[in-house]
Amino acid sequence: MGQEEMNSLKDLLPLAERYGLAVVLSFILLLVVVVIIRMIIRGDLVPRSLLDKAEEDRDRLQAILDKEREGFMTPLLEVVKNLKQQDGSDHKGG
C-alpha cells in the first residue's frame, strides 16, 4: 500500500471507530453505487451488447437513408445534366 492509501485509511479509521464500521462501509458503498449510476446515465458505462446493437441499427438506418438519397438525387442529377447539355449546345460564345 502506498503512503496516500495509508493516509486515507488513517482518516477513515477514526470515523469507523466513532460511527461504526457498518455505517462507514455503507456510506462508501452508497458513493460507489451513485458514481456507477451516474456513469450509466451519462453513457460512459454501456454494456457491449447494447453498443453493438446500436451500431448495427445505425448502419442499417444509414443504408436506408443512402438509398433514399440516391433515389431523390438521381432525377435531380439528370435535370442538371440536361441543363448543362442544353447550355453547352446553345452557347456560342460571347
PDB file of all heavy atoms in Angstrom, residues 34-71:
ATOM      1  N   VAL A  34     -23.676   5.379  -6.494  1.00  0.00           N
ATOM      2  CA  VAL A  34     -24.080   6.647  -7.110  1.00  0.00           C
ATOM      3  C   VAL A  34     -23.182   6.974  -8.297  1.00  0.00           C
ATOM      4  O   VAL A  34     -23.661   7.404  -9.357  1.00  0.00           O
ATOM      5  CB  VAL A  34     -24.067   7.785  -6.065  1.00  0.00           C
ATOM      6  CG1 VAL A  34     -24.166   9.149  -6.732  1.00  0.00           C
ATOM      7  CG2 VAL A  34     -25.190   7.605  -5.076  1.00  0.00           C
ATOM      8  N   VAL A  35     -21.885   6.748  -8.159  1.00  0.00           N
ATOM      9  CA  VAL A  35     -20.962   7.016  -9.262  1.00  0.00           C
ATOM     10  C   VAL A  35     -21.262   6.093 -10.440  1.00  0.00           C
ATOM     11  O   VAL A  35     -21.276   6.529 -11.593  1.00  0.00           O
ATOM     12  CB  VAL A  35     -19.496   6.862  -8.791  1.00  0.00           C
ATOM     13  CG1 VAL A  35     -18.537   6.843  -9.960  1.00  0.00           C
ATOM     14  CG2 VAL A  35     -19.137   7.984  -7.839  1.00  0.00           C
ATOM     15  N   ILE A  36     -21.534   4.825 -10.192  1.00  0.00           N
ATOM     16  CA  ILE A  36     -21.839   3.883 -11.264  1.00  0.00           C
ATOM     17  C   ILE A  36     -23.148   4.257 -11.958  1.00  0.00           C
ATOM     18  O   ILE A  36     -23.240   4.242 -13.191  1.00  0.00           O
ATOM     19  CB  ILE A  36     -21.878   2.438 -10.729  1.00  0.00           C
ATOM     20  CG1 ILE A  36     -20.462   2.003 -10.354  1.00  0.00           C
ATOM     21  CG2 ILE A  36     -22.482   1.488 -11.748  1.00  0.00           C
ATOM     22  CD1 ILE A  36     -20.393   0.651  -9.681  1.00  0.00           C
ATOM     23  N   ILE A  37     -24.170   4.621 -11.195  1.00  0.00           N
ATOM     24  CA  ILE A  37     -25.452   5.035 -11.791  1.00  0.00           C
ATOM     25  C   ILE A  37     -25.262   6.296 -12.628  1.00  0.00           C
ATOM     26  O   ILE A  37     -25.810   6.411 -13.727  1.00  0.00           O
ATOM     27  CB  ILE A  37     -26.522   5.243 -10.693  1.00  0.00           C
ATOM     28  CG1 ILE A  37     -26.915   3.887 -10.104  1.00  0.00           C
ATOM     29  CG2 ILE A  37     -27.740   5.965 -11.247  1.00  0.00           C
ATOM     30  CD1 ILE A  37     -27.834   3.977  -8.921  1.00  0.00           C
ATOM     31  N   ARG A  38     -24.458   7.223 -12.147  1.00  0.00           N
ATOM     32  CA  ARG A  38     -24.183   8.453 -12.894  1.00  0.00           C
ATOM     33  C   ARG A  38     -23.470   8.132 -14.207  1.00  0.00           C
ATOM     34  O   ARG A  38     -23.772   8.717 -15.245  1.00  0.00           O
ATOM     35  CB  ARG A  38     -23.326   9.385 -12.045  1.00  0.00           C
ATOM     36  CG  ARG A  38     -23.051  10.707 -12.696  1.00  0.00           C
ATOM     37  CD  ARG A  38     -22.348  11.644 -11.719  1.00  0.00           C
ATOM     38  NE  ARG A  38     -21.977  12.862 -12.380  1.00  0.00           N
ATOM     39  CZ  ARG A  38     -20.735  13.219 -12.649  1.00  0.00           C
ATOM     40  NH1 ARG A  38     -19.739  12.430 -12.297  1.00  0.00           N
ATOM     41  NH2 ARG A  38     -20.474  14.353 -13.253  1.00  0.00           N
ATOM     42  N   MET A  39     -22.539   7.187 -14.172  1.00  0.00           N
ATOM     43  CA  MET A  39     -21.834   6.788 -15.387  1.00  0.00           C
ATOM     44  C   MET A  39     -22.793   6.143 -16.394  1.00  0.00           C
ATOM     45  O   MET A  39     -22.687   6.372 -17.599  1.00  0.00           O
ATOM     46  CB  MET A  39     -20.696   5.820 -15.053  1.00  0.00           C
ATOM     47  CG  MET A  39     -19.526   6.476 -14.353  1.00  0.00           C
ATOM     48  SD  MET A  39     -18.280   5.292 -13.834  1.00  0.00           S
ATOM     49  CE  MET A  39     -17.642   4.755 -15.403  1.00  0.00           C
ATOM     50  N   ILE A  40     -23.735   5.343 -15.901  1.00  0.00           N
ATOM     51  CA  ILE A  40     -24.712   4.701 -16.785  1.00  0.00           C
ATOM     52  C   ILE A  40     -25.621   5.746 -17.409  1.00  0.00           C
ATOM     53  O   ILE A  40     -25.910   5.705 -18.610  1.00  0.00           O
ATOM     54  CB  ILE A  40     -25.529   3.644 -16.013  1.00  0.00           C
ATOM     55  CG1 ILE A  40     -24.643   2.452 -15.664  1.00  0.00           C
ATOM     56  CG2 ILE A  40     -26.734   3.191 -16.826  1.00  0.00           C
ATOM     57  CD1 ILE A  40     -25.296   1.447 -14.734  1.00  0.00           C
ATOM     58  N   ILE A  41     -26.076   6.712 -16.626  1.00  0.00           N
ATOM     59  CA  ILE A  41     -26.966   7.749 -17.133  1.00  0.00           C
ATOM     60  C   ILE A  41     -26.257   8.617 -18.171  1.00  0.00           C
ATOM     61  O   ILE A  41     -26.831   8.964 -19.203  1.00  0.00           O
ATOM     62  CB  ILE A  41     -27.512   8.608 -15.975  1.00  0.00           C
ATOM     63  CG1 ILE A  41     -28.487   7.783 -15.135  1.00  0.00           C
ATOM     64  CG2 ILE A  41     -28.193   9.868 -16.493  1.00  0.00           C
ATOM     65  CD1 ILE A  41     -28.935   8.471 -13.869  1.00  0.00           C
ATOM     66  N   ARG A  42     -25.002   8.963 -17.924  1.00  0.00           N
ATOM     67  CA  ARG A  42     -24.252   9.796 -18.857  1.00  0.00           C
ATOM     68  C   ARG A  42     -23.821   9.028 -20.092  1.00  0.00           C
ATOM     69  O   ARG A  42     -23.432   9.622 -21.090  1.00  0.00           O
ATOM     70  CB  ARG A  42     -23.015  10.367 -18.175  1.00  0.00           C
ATOM     71  CG  ARG A  42     -23.362  11.429 -17.131  1.00  0.00           C
ATOM     72  CD  ARG A  42     -22.151  11.975 -16.440  1.00  0.00           C
ATOM     73  NE  ARG A  42     -21.200  12.491 -17.403  1.00  0.00           N
ATOM     74  CZ  ARG A  42     -19.897  12.552 -17.188  1.00  0.00           C
ATOM     75  NH1 ARG A  42     -19.395  12.121 -16.063  1.00  0.00           N
ATOM     76  NH2 ARG A  42     -19.095  13.029 -18.113  1.00  0.00           N
ATOM     77  N   GLY A  43     -23.876   7.702 -20.049  1.00  0.00           N
ATOM     78  CA  GLY A  43     -23.499   6.901 -21.206  1.00  0.00           C
ATOM     79  C   GLY A  43     -22.046   6.487 -21.205  1.00  0.00           C
ATOM     80  O   GLY A  43     -21.547   5.980 -22.207  1.00  0.00           O
ATOM     81  N   ASP A  44     -21.328   6.726 -20.123  1.00  0.00           N
ATOM     82  CA  ASP A  44     -19.930   6.305 -20.043  1.00  0.00           C
ATOM     83  C   ASP A  44     -19.811   4.799 -19.857  1.00  0.00           C
ATOM     84  O   ASP A  44     -18.816   4.201 -20.254  1.00  0.00           O
ATOM     85  CB  ASP A  44     -19.220   7.003 -18.875  1.00  0.00           C
ATOM     86  CG  ASP A  44     -19.162   8.508 -19.061  1.00  0.00           C
ATOM     87  OD1 ASP A  44     -19.235   8.958 -20.221  1.00  0.00           O
ATOM     88  OD2 ASP A  44     -19.046   9.223 -18.054  1.00  0.00           O
ATOM     89  N   LEU A  45     -20.811   4.211 -19.257  1.00  0.00           N
ATOM     90  CA  LEU A  45     -20.781   2.790 -18.948  1.00  0.00           C
ATOM     91  C   LEU A  45     -21.967   2.126 -19.644  1.00  0.00           C
ATOM     92  O   LEU A  45     -23.100   2.243 -19.215  1.00  0.00           O
ATOM     93  CB  LEU A  45     -20.878   2.594 -17.424  1.00  0.00           C
ATOM     94  CG  LEU A  45     -20.632   1.206 -16.888  1.00  0.00           C
ATOM     95  CD1 LEU A  45     -19.225   0.759 -17.213  1.00  0.00           C
ATOM     96  CD2 LEU A  45     -20.826   1.180 -15.395  1.00  0.00           C
ATOM     97  N   VAL A  46     -21.679   1.444 -20.772  1.00  0.00           N
ATOM     98  CA  VAL A  46     -22.728   0.832 -21.581  1.00  0.00           C
ATOM     99  C   VAL A  46     -22.347  -0.627 -21.821  1.00  0.00           C
ATOM    100  O   VAL A  46     -21.202  -0.915 -22.163  1.00  0.00           O
ATOM    101  CB  VAL A  46     -22.870   1.556 -22.937  1.00  0.00           C
ATOM    102  CG1 VAL A  46     -23.906   0.902 -23.804  1.00  0.00           C
ATOM    103  CG2 VAL A  46     -23.210   3.014 -22.714  1.00  0.00           C
ATOM    104  N   PRO A  47     -23.286  -1.545 -21.643  1.00  0.00           N
ATOM    105  CA  PRO A  47     -22.975  -2.946 -21.940  1.00  0.00           C
ATOM    106  C   PRO A  47     -22.612  -3.123 -23.419  1.00  0.00           C
ATOM    107  O   PRO A  47     -23.168  -2.466 -24.293  1.00  0.00           O
ATOM    108  CB  PRO A  47     -24.277  -3.688 -21.622  1.00  0.00           C
ATOM    109  CG  PRO A  47     -25.032  -2.788 -20.719  1.00  0.00           C
ATOM    110  CD  PRO A  47     -24.619  -1.396 -21.085  1.00  0.00           C
ATOM    111  N   ARG A  48     -21.662  -3.988 -23.680  1.00  0.00           N
ATOM    112  CA  ARG A  48     -21.161  -4.197 -25.035  1.00  0.00           C
ATOM    113  C   ARG A  48     -22.278  -4.636 -25.994  1.00  0.00           C
ATOM    114  O   ARG A  48     -22.298  -4.225 -27.152  1.00  0.00           O
ATOM    115  CB  ARG A  48     -20.045  -5.244 -25.001  1.00  0.00           C
ATOM    116  CG  ARG A  48     -19.340  -5.412 -26.300  1.00  0.00           C
ATOM    117  CD  ARG A  48     -18.546  -4.181 -26.597  1.00  0.00           C
ATOM    118  NE  ARG A  48     -17.941  -4.288 -27.911  1.00  0.00           N
ATOM    119  CZ  ARG A  48     -17.321  -3.303 -28.487  1.00  0.00           C
ATOM    120  NH1 ARG A  48     -17.219  -2.147 -27.882  1.00  0.00           N
ATOM    121  NH2 ARG A  48     -16.795  -3.449 -29.653  1.00  0.00           N
ATOM    122  N   SER A  49     -23.193  -5.470 -25.515  1.00  0.00           N
ATOM    123  CA  SER A  49     -24.266  -5.953 -26.383  1.00  0.00           C
ATOM    124  C   SER A  49     -25.153  -4.796 -26.854  1.00  0.00           C
ATOM    125  O   SER A  49     -25.561  -4.747 -28.020  1.00  0.00           O
ATOM    126  CB  SER A  49     -25.103  -7.005 -25.662  1.00  0.00           C
ATOM    127  OG  SER A  49     -25.694  -6.444 -24.503  1.00  0.00           O
ATOM    128  N   LEU A  50     -25.442  -3.852 -25.966  1.00  0.00           N
ATOM    129  CA  LEU A  50     -26.255  -2.700 -26.359  1.00  0.00           C
ATOM    130  C   LEU A  50     -25.504  -1.800 -27.334  1.00  0.00           C
ATOM    131  O   LEU A  50     -26.095  -1.254 -28.274  1.00  0.00           O
ATOM    132  CB  LEU A  50     -26.676  -1.899 -25.128  1.00  0.00           C
ATOM    133  CG  LEU A  50     -27.683  -2.566 -24.203  1.00  0.00           C
ATOM    134  CD1 LEU A  50     -27.950  -1.679 -22.997  1.00  0.00           C
ATOM    135  CD2 LEU A  50     -28.973  -2.839 -24.931  1.00  0.00           C
ATOM    136  N   LEU A  51     -24.209  -1.658 -27.125  1.00  0.00           N
ATOM    137  CA  LEU A  51     -23.403  -0.843 -28.023  1.00  0.00           C
ATOM    138  C   LEU A  51     -23.356  -1.463 -29.418  1.00  0.00           C
ATOM    139  O   LEU A  51     -23.518  -0.766 -30.425  1.00  0.00           O
ATOM    140  CB  LEU A  51     -21.992  -0.685 -27.469  1.00  0.00           C
ATOM    141  CG  LEU A  51     -21.035   0.184 -28.275  1.00  0.00           C
ATOM    142  CD1 LEU A  51     -21.553   1.608 -28.358  1.00  0.00           C
ATOM    143  CD2 LEU A  51     -19.652   0.152 -27.670  1.00  0.00           C
ATOM    144  N   ASP A  52     -23.164  -2.781 -29.490  1.00  0.00           N
ATOM    145  CA  ASP A  52     -23.141  -3.467 -30.781  1.00  0.00           C
ATOM    146  C   ASP A  52     -24.484  -3.348 -31.491  1.00  0.00           C
ATOM    147  O   ASP A  52     -24.543  -3.098 -32.700  1.00  0.00           O
ATOM    148  CB  ASP A  52     -22.782  -4.949 -30.602  1.00  0.00           C
ATOM    149  CG  ASP A  52     -21.337  -5.140 -30.185  1.00  0.00           C
ATOM    150  OD1 ASP A  52     -20.532  -4.208 -30.385  1.00  0.00           O
ATOM    151  OD2 ASP A  52     -21.015  -6.226 -29.658  1.00  0.00           O
ATOM    152  N   LYS A  53     -25.574  -3.495 -30.741  1.00  0.00           N
ATOM    153  CA  LYS A  53     -26.913  -3.389 -31.334  1.00  0.00           C
ATOM    154  C   LYS A  53     -27.153  -1.975 -31.856  1.00  0.00           C
ATOM    155  O   LYS A  53     -27.701  -1.792 -32.947  1.00  0.00           O
ATOM    156  CB  LYS A  53     -27.976  -3.751 -30.304  1.00  0.00           C
ATOM    157  CG  LYS A  53     -29.389  -3.762 -30.863  1.00  0.00           C
ATOM    158  CD  LYS A  53     -30.380  -4.201 -29.822  1.00  0.00           C
ATOM    159  CE  LYS A  53     -31.789  -4.258 -30.287  1.00  0.00           C
ATOM    160  NZ  LYS A  53     -32.215  -3.307 -31.264  1.00  0.00           N
ATOM    161  N   ALA A  54     -26.713  -0.965 -31.107  1.00  0.00           N
ATOM    162  CA  ALA A  54     -26.888   0.420 -31.551  1.00  0.00           C
ATOM    163  C   ALA A  54     -26.086   0.693 -32.819  1.00  0.00           C
ATOM    164  O   ALA A  54     -26.563   1.384 -33.730  1.00  0.00           O
ATOM    165  CB  ALA A  54     -26.458   1.379 -30.437  1.00  0.00           C
ATOM    166  N   GLU A  55     -24.878   0.133 -32.903  1.00  0.00           N
ATOM    167  CA  GLU A  55     -24.072   0.329 -34.102  1.00  0.00           C
ATOM    168  C   GLU A  55     -24.697  -0.363 -35.310  1.00  0.00           C
ATOM    169  O   GLU A  55     -24.692   0.177 -36.417  1.00  0.00           O
ATOM    170  CB  GLU A  55     -22.652  -0.179 -33.873  1.00  0.00           C
ATOM    171  CG  GLU A  55     -21.854   0.712 -32.942  1.00  0.00           C
ATOM    172  CD  GLU A  55     -20.473   0.175 -32.661  1.00  0.00           C
ATOM    173  OE1 GLU A  55     -20.181  -0.985 -33.033  1.00  0.00           O
ATOM    174  OE2 GLU A  55     -19.678   0.911 -32.075  1.00  0.00           O
ATOM    175  N   GLU A  56     -25.243  -1.558 -35.118  1.00  0.00           N
ATOM    176  CA  GLU A  56     -25.908  -2.262 -36.215  1.00  0.00           C
ATOM    177  C   GLU A  56     -27.134  -1.491 -36.683  1.00  0.00           C
ATOM    178  O   GLU A  56     -27.372  -1.354 -37.892  1.00  0.00           O
ATOM    179  CB  GLU A  56     -26.314  -3.671 -35.767  1.00  0.00           C
ATOM    180  CG  GLU A  56     -25.159  -4.612 -35.577  1.00  0.00           C
ATOM    181  CD  GLU A  56     -25.573  -5.931 -34.941  1.00  0.00           C
ATOM    182  OE1 GLU A  56     -26.790  -6.137 -34.694  1.00  0.00           O
ATOM    183  OE2 GLU A  56     -24.685  -6.746 -34.671  1.00  0.00           O
ATOM    184  N   ASP A  57     -27.917  -0.978 -35.746  1.00  0.00           N
ATOM    185  CA  ASP A  57     -29.096  -0.181 -36.102  1.00  0.00           C
ATOM    186  C   ASP A  57     -28.693   1.081 -36.868  1.00  0.00           C
ATOM    187  O   ASP A  57     -29.324   1.456 -37.851  1.00  0.00           O
ATOM    188  CB  ASP A  57     -29.894   0.204 -34.860  1.00  0.00           C
ATOM    189  CG  ASP A  57     -30.610  -0.975 -34.230  1.00  0.00           C
ATOM    190  OD1 ASP A  57     -30.725  -2.021 -34.902  1.00  0.00           O
ATOM    191  OD2 ASP A  57     -31.043  -0.847 -33.069  1.00  0.00           O
ATOM    192  N   ARG A  58     -27.630   1.723 -36.402  1.00  0.00           N
ATOM    193  CA  ARG A  58     -27.154   2.936 -37.071  1.00  0.00           C
ATOM    194  C   ARG A  58     -26.718   2.625 -38.506  1.00  0.00           C
ATOM    195  O   ARG A  58     -27.065   3.360 -39.439  1.00  0.00           O
ATOM    196  CB  ARG A  58     -25.981   3.537 -36.299  1.00  0.00           C
ATOM    197  CG  ARG A  58     -25.445   4.816 -36.936  1.00  0.00           C
ATOM    198  CD  ARG A  58     -24.079   5.178 -36.467  1.00  0.00           C
ATOM    199  NE  ARG A  58     -23.158   4.121 -36.865  1.00  0.00           N
ATOM    200  CZ  ARG A  58     -22.073   3.802 -36.193  1.00  0.00           C
ATOM    201  NH1 ARG A  58     -21.778   4.427 -35.076  1.00  0.00           N
ATOM    202  NH2 ARG A  58     -21.272   2.844 -36.609  1.00  0.00           N
ATOM    203  N   ASP A  59     -25.976   1.526 -38.696  1.00  0.00           N
ATOM    204  CA  ASP A  59     -25.527   1.156 -40.035  1.00  0.00           C
ATOM    205  C   ASP A  59     -26.703   0.821 -40.946  1.00  0.00           C
ATOM    206  O   ASP A  59     -26.732   1.205 -42.120  1.00  0.00           O
ATOM    207  CB  ASP A  59     -24.560  -0.030 -39.963  1.00  0.00           C
ATOM    208  CG  ASP A  59     -23.253   0.331 -39.283  1.00  0.00           C
ATOM    209  OD1 ASP A  59     -22.935   1.538 -39.190  1.00  0.00           O
ATOM    210  OD2 ASP A  59     -22.540  -0.604 -38.844  1.00  0.00           O
ATOM    211  N   ARG A  60     -27.684   0.109 -40.403  1.00  0.00           N
ATOM    212  CA  ARG A  60     -28.859  -0.266 -41.195  1.00  0.00           C
ATOM    213  C   ARG A  60     -29.644   0.984 -41.605  1.00  0.00           C
ATOM    214  O   ARG A  60     -30.032   1.144 -42.768  1.00  0.00           O
ATOM    215  CB  ARG A  60     -29.744  -1.216 -40.390  1.00  0.00           C
ATOM    216  CG  ARG A  60     -30.976  -1.704 -41.129  1.00  0.00           C
ATOM    217  CD  ARG A  60     -31.772  -2.691 -40.295  1.00  0.00           C
ATOM    218  NE  ARG A  60     -32.082  -2.227 -38.949  1.00  0.00           N
ATOM    219  CZ  ARG A  60     -33.102  -1.414 -38.662  1.00  0.00           C
ATOM    220  NH1 ARG A  60     -33.898  -0.998 -39.607  1.00  0.00           N
ATOM    221  NH2 ARG A  60     -33.331  -1.041 -37.415  1.00  0.00           N
ATOM    222  N   LEU A  61     -29.847   1.900 -40.662  1.00  0.00           N
ATOM    223  CA  LEU A  61     -30.586   3.128 -40.977  1.00  0.00           C
ATOM    224  C   LEU A  61     -29.801   4.018 -41.941  1.00  0.00           C
ATOM    225  O   LEU A  61     -30.400   4.673 -42.799  1.00  0.00           O
ATOM    226  CB  LEU A  61     -30.914   3.887 -39.692  1.00  0.00           C
ATOM    227  CG  LEU A  61     -31.932   3.207 -38.784  1.00  0.00           C
ATOM    228  CD1 LEU A  61     -32.047   3.950 -37.464  1.00  0.00           C
ATOM    229  CD2 LEU A  61     -33.282   3.110 -39.460  1.00  0.00           C
ATOM    230  N   GLN A  62     -28.488   4.026 -41.822  1.00  0.00           N
ATOM    231  CA  GLN A  62     -27.677   4.820 -42.745  1.00  0.00           C
ATOM    232  C   GLN A  62     -27.785   4.272 -44.161  1.00  0.00           C
ATOM    233  O   GLN A  62     -27.845   5.030 -45.132  1.00  0.00           O
ATOM    234  CB  GLN A  62     -26.209   4.835 -42.291  1.00  0.00           C
ATOM    235  CG  GLN A  62     -25.335   5.768 -43.103  1.00  0.00           C
ATOM    236  CD  GLN A  62     -25.753   7.211 -42.954  1.00  0.00           C
ATOM    237  OE1 GLN A  62     -26.059   7.676 -41.866  1.00  0.00           O
ATOM    238  NE2 GLN A  62     -25.790   7.931 -44.057  1.00  0.00           N
ATOM    239  N   ALA A  63     -27.839   2.950 -44.293  1.00  0.00           N
ATOM    240  CA  ALA A  63     -28.005   2.337 -45.618  1.00  0.00           C
ATOM    241  C   ALA A  63     -29.360   2.713 -46.213  1.00  0.00           C
ATOM    242  O   ALA A  63     -29.460   3.013 -47.413  1.00  0.00           O
ATOM    243  CB  ALA A  63     -27.861   0.823 -45.514  1.00  0.00           C
ATOM    244  N   ILE A  64     -30.405   2.712 -45.382  1.00  0.00           N
ATOM    245  CA  ILE A  64     -31.736   3.108 -45.858  1.00  0.00           C
ATOM    246  C   ILE A  64     -31.725   4.563 -46.311  1.00  0.00           C
ATOM    247  O   ILE A  64     -32.260   4.909 -47.372  1.00  0.00           O
ATOM    248  CB  ILE A  64     -32.790   2.872 -44.754  1.00  0.00           C
ATOM    249  CG1 ILE A  64     -32.985   1.370 -44.511  1.00  0.00           C
ATOM    250  CG2 ILE A  64     -34.112   3.528 -45.118  1.00  0.00           C
ATOM    251  CD1 ILE A  64     -33.823   1.049 -43.291  1.00  0.00           C
ATOM    252  N   LEU A  65     -31.099   5.433 -45.528  1.00  0.00           N
ATOM    253  CA  LEU A  65     -31.026   6.845 -45.904  1.00  0.00           C
ATOM    254  C   LEU A  65     -30.230   7.048 -47.183  1.00  0.00           C
ATOM    255  O   LEU A  65     -30.574   7.896 -48.014  1.00  0.00           O
ATOM    256  CB  LEU A  65     -30.405   7.664 -44.767  1.00  0.00           C
ATOM    257  CG  LEU A  65     -31.285   7.897 -43.556  1.00  0.00           C
ATOM    258  CD1 LEU A  65     -30.488   8.572 -42.453  1.00  0.00           C
ATOM    259  CD2 LEU A  65     -32.484   8.742 -43.920  1.00  0.00           C
ATOM    260  N   ASP A  66     -29.161   6.277 -47.357  1.00  0.00           N
ATOM    261  CA  ASP A  66     -28.369   6.380 -48.580  1.00  0.00           C
ATOM    262  C   ASP A  66     -29.190   5.990 -49.803  1.00  0.00           C
ATOM    263  O   ASP A  66     -29.099   6.628 -50.853  1.00  0.00           O
ATOM    264  CB  ASP A  66     -27.112   5.516 -48.487  1.00  0.00           C
ATOM    265  CG  ASP A  66     -26.085   6.089 -47.522  1.00  0.00           C
ATOM    266  OD1 ASP A  66     -26.189   7.288 -47.182  1.00  0.00           O
ATOM    267  OD2 ASP A  66     -25.180   5.334 -47.105  1.00  0.00           O
ATOM    268  N   LYS A  67     -30.004   4.933 -49.684  1.00  0.00           N
ATOM    269  CA  LYS A  67     -30.862   4.518 -50.799  1.00  0.00           C
ATOM    270  C   LYS A  67     -31.893   5.597 -51.117  1.00  0.00           C
ATOM    271  O   LYS A  67     -32.143   5.912 -52.287  1.00  0.00           O
ATOM    272  CB  LYS A  67     -31.574   3.207 -50.462  1.00  0.00           C
ATOM    273  CG  LYS A  67     -30.678   2.001 -50.505  1.00  0.00           C
ATOM    274  CD  LYS A  67     -31.446   0.750 -50.147  1.00  0.00           C
ATOM    275  CE  LYS A  67     -30.529  -0.442 -50.043  1.00  0.00           C
ATOM    276  NZ  LYS A  67     -31.247  -1.652 -49.616  1.00  0.00           N
ATOM    277  N   GLU A  68     -32.494   6.188 -50.088  1.00  0.00           N
ATOM    278  CA  GLU A  68     -33.476   7.249 -50.312  1.00  0.00           C
ATOM    279  C   GLU A  68     -32.819   8.466 -50.944  1.00  0.00           C
ATOM    280  O   GLU A  68     -33.377   9.088 -51.854  1.00  0.00           O
ATOM    281  CB  GLU A  68     -34.147   7.636 -48.999  1.00  0.00           C
ATOM    282  CG  GLU A  68     -35.111   6.610 -48.473  1.00  0.00           C
ATOM    283  CD  GLU A  68     -35.749   7.030 -47.160  1.00  0.00           C
ATOM    284  OE1 GLU A  68     -35.491   8.155 -46.684  1.00  0.00           O
ATOM    285  OE2 GLU A  68     -36.509   6.219 -46.605  1.00  0.00           O
ATOM    286  N   ARG A  69     -31.640   8.806 -50.475  1.00  0.00           N
ATOM    287  CA  ARG A  69     -30.920   9.954 -51.018  1.00  0.00           C
ATOM    288  C   ARG A  69     -30.560   9.707 -52.485  1.00  0.00           C
ATOM    289  O   ARG A  69     -30.665  10.600 -53.320  1.00  0.00           O
ATOM    290  CB  ARG A  69     -29.648  10.213 -50.197  1.00  0.00           C
ATOM    291  CG  ARG A  69     -28.942  11.486 -50.572  1.00  0.00           C
ATOM    292  CD  ARG A  69     -27.728  11.748 -49.696  1.00  0.00           C
ATOM    293  NE  ARG A  69     -28.080  11.814 -48.296  1.00  0.00           N
ATOM    294  CZ  ARG A  69     -27.491  11.098 -47.346  1.00  0.00           C
ATOM    295  NH1 ARG A  69     -26.530  10.251 -47.635  1.00  0.00           N
ATOM    296  NH2 ARG A  69     -27.860  11.214 -46.087  1.00  0.00           N
ATOM    297  N   GLU A  70     -30.150   8.485 -52.790  1.00  0.00           N
ATOM    298  CA  GLU A  70     -29.810   8.147 -54.174  1.00  0.00           C
ATOM    299  C   GLU A  70     -31.047   8.238 -55.071  1.00  0.00           C
ATOM    300  O   GLU A  70     -30.978   8.767 -56.178  1.00  0.00           O
ATOM    301  CB  GLU A  70     -29.227   6.737 -54.224  1.00  0.00           C
ATOM    302  CG  GLU A  70     -28.784   6.297 -55.595  1.00  0.00           C
ATOM    303  CD  GLU A  70     -28.222   4.893 -55.567  1.00  0.00           C
ATOM    304  OE1 GLU A  70     -27.621   4.505 -54.556  1.00  0.00           O
ATOM    305  OE2 GLU A  70     -28.406   4.190 -56.581  1.00  0.00           O
ATOM    306  N   GLY A  71     -32.178   7.747 -54.583  1.00  0.00           N
ATOM    307  CA  GLY A  71     -33.416   7.831 -55.351  1.00  0.00           C
ATOM    308  C   GLY A  71     -33.868   9.256 -55.567  1.00  0.00           C
ATOM    309  O   GLY A  71     -34.431   9.607 -56.605  1.00  0.00           O
TER     310      GLY A  71
END
